[in-house]
Amino acid sequence: MMPSFCIRQLLVAVPLLIAAPVARLEAADEAGPHRRPVAVLADRSLAVAPGAVLPLFASADLERRHPEVTRAVIVLHGRLRDADTYFATGLAARDAAGPAGEGALIVAPQFLGLTDWKAHGLPPDVLHWTLEGWQGGDDALGPEPLSSFDALDAILARLGDRTRFPNLSRIVVAGHSGGGQVVQRYAVLSRAGDALARQGVRVTYVVANPSSYAYFTPERPGPTAECAGYDRWKYGMRDLPRYAAGADPRALETGYAARPVTYLLGGRDTDPDHPALDRSCMAEAQGPFRLARGEAYRAALLARHPDLNQPLHVVPGVGHDGRRMLDSACGLSALFDVPGCPDEAGPVRASPSGVSTR
């Protein structure tokens, strides 16, 4: 039996916990392999600010001049922070693109967690975040309070440096799973791509199989009555991160709807119990599994913006598999403009067995 003084402490603490503002809400699954330190660290880095560097993989030295580079593809890892895997995926996709991949630079940043920083005894200037905060653009735990979106801005700024990349005309920011979450939120909040577009560098975004999306209105396809945080960032527009600089959600929606975003969804990414699926009530309000959540989000945007030019492609026969998604015909089209992606598919529904059908 619990001692009476413990009960009194709980009675005092619970109201305080309920009343406390919720700054960030994270995925419900906190026991997965993402809690282990990464096995492979990136072999390059980029200064995001004085005394703060971001590890990354790149197919060429970002410090040097590269007149041969005409396109850059930034591939973002998922919550396992396995940037080496996604770098290899980007290189494989470039090879699969054939001539369309020539002149393409592949970059895979690595958003490390505190557990990685400690386990590998990294220098104090290496940026590191909470295990999931980087996915929503939260500020780093150290060495400076810089957002993961600040880090992406720094990569775009380097690529837009005409002294180093005089012939670059296209940047693709792509992510799968947790990386897809980053790309979608980054496309909502960042203005770096707009600035580069005015300089003749087109920035596009590829969002593949994320667990959740940032909605602009309180409406959701699923129930929200028992989920107090469903409309807070990173799931909605309440309590935006520091990086947003007090932006008006209406202006963010207008800007996002005008940006070149492509959604890639696996036709078999329909497991409501997938071990890496966000099963918090905030995410469940968006749908039962990733395919349904992506279709519902795109449909909600289209209802508010009938002229929306953000295609959604369902990759048939593929589940939650980053390499197969980006190597698909529509993946290669989104990354390298390779022809062969069919016209936008209609809605896909899951059968009771979890296999998508039309």
Side-chain angles (χ1 to χ4, degrees):
M1 184 174 182
M2 184 180 292
S4 60
F5 74 89
C6 290
I7 296 174
R8 288 196 299 271
Q9 287 180 327
L10 284 173
L11 291 174
V12 171
V14 167
L16 292 175
L17 290 171
I18 294 174
V22 180
R24 295 291 169 265
L25 295 164
E26 297 186 347
D29 177 15
E30 285 297 322
H34 68 296
R35 299 187 67 85
R36 296 195 293 264
V38 296
V40 180
L41 295 172
D43 57 359
R44 301 180 189 268
S45 64
L46 177 71
V48 177
V53 301
L54 176 74
L56 54 80
F57 292 94
S59 59
D61 187 348
L62 301 186
E63 300 294 332
R64 296 181 178 274
R65 189 172 187 271
H66 293 283
E68 78 282 3
V69 172
T70 57
R71 174 189 300 256
V73 178
I74 303 170
V75 186
L76 304 187
H77 59 73
R79 68 179 191 163
L80 294 180
R81 307 178 301 287
D82 51 345
D84 57 317
T85 298
Y86 280 86
F87 182 55
T89 294
L91 293 175
R94 184 179 67 176
D95 291 343
E102 296 178 1
L105 168 71
I106 307 299
V107 179
Q110 190 169 37
F111 300 104
L112 296 173
L114 178 61
T115 185
D116 308 314
W117 185 77
K118 288 182 175 180
H120 290 279
L122 296 176
D125 63 345
V126 175
L127 285 162
H128 49 281
W129 286 263
T130 64
L131 286 176
E132 295 200 7
W134 58 273
Q135 294 182 11
D138 283 0
D139 289 340
L141 298 174
E144 298 291 337
L146 294 166
S147 168
S148 48
F149 297 164
D150 287 317
L152 289 174
D153 284 350
I155 296 175
L156 263 62
R158 174 56 56 89
L159 296 173
D161 180 354
R162 288 305 192 189
T163 63
R164 291 184 172 91
F165 299 97
N167 298 314
L168 183 76
S169 61
R170 178 76 170 274
I171 299 174
V172 181
V173 185
H176 176 262
S177 193
Q181 292 192 48
V182 179
V183 173
Q184 198 269 325
R185 274 78 174 191
Y186 183 64
V188 170
L189 296 185
S190 178
R191 300 293 173 270
D194 301 342
L196 284 174
R198 293 190 288 271
Q199 301 172 25
V201 179
R202 185 167 184 254
V203 180
T204 61
Y205 306 89
V206 180
V207 179
N209 287 342
S211 270
S212 66
Y213 300 78
Y215 270 75
F216 294 101
T217 66
E219 291 76 25
R220 298 290 187 277
T224 60
E226 303 299 323
C227 187
Y230 83 95
D231 201 33
R232 293 189 173 103
W233 186 262
K234 62 184 181 177
Y235 303 92
M237 292 293 112
R238 294 173 58 195
D239 299 327
L240 292 172
R242 187 273 314 163
Y243 177 89
D248 181 353
R250 291 170 297 182
L252 292 176
E253 180 180 2
T254 299
Y256 181 79
R259 295 195 176 97
V261 178
T262 297
Y263 306 93
L264 296 178
L265 302 176
R268 288 180 177 266
D269 202 347
T270 56
D271 182 0
D273 298 313
H274 190 279
L277 180 69
D278 183 349
R279 285 172 284 174
S280 66
C281 68
M282 297 83 75
E284 293 287 347
Q286 299 186 13
F289 43 76
R290 294 185 187 88
L291 177 58
R293 292 174 188 180
E295 288 187 329
Y297 182 77
R298 178 30 173 66
L301 271 181
L302 192 59
R304 293 172 60 81
H305 304 275
D307 297 326
L308 186 74
N309 187 21
Q310 295 183 351
L312 181 152
H313 299 289
V314 175
V315 181
V318 178
H320 200 64
D321 187 321
R323 182 175 285 252
R324 293 186 65 196
M325 290 295 295
L326 298 184
D327 272 355
S328 69
C330 290
L332 294 177
S333 174
L335 297 180
F336 300 103
D337 295 320
V338 176
C341 177
D343 292 337
E344 184 173 329
V348 173
R349 297 290 175 255
S351 70
S353 65
V355 178
S356 60
T357 59
R358 290 192 182 281

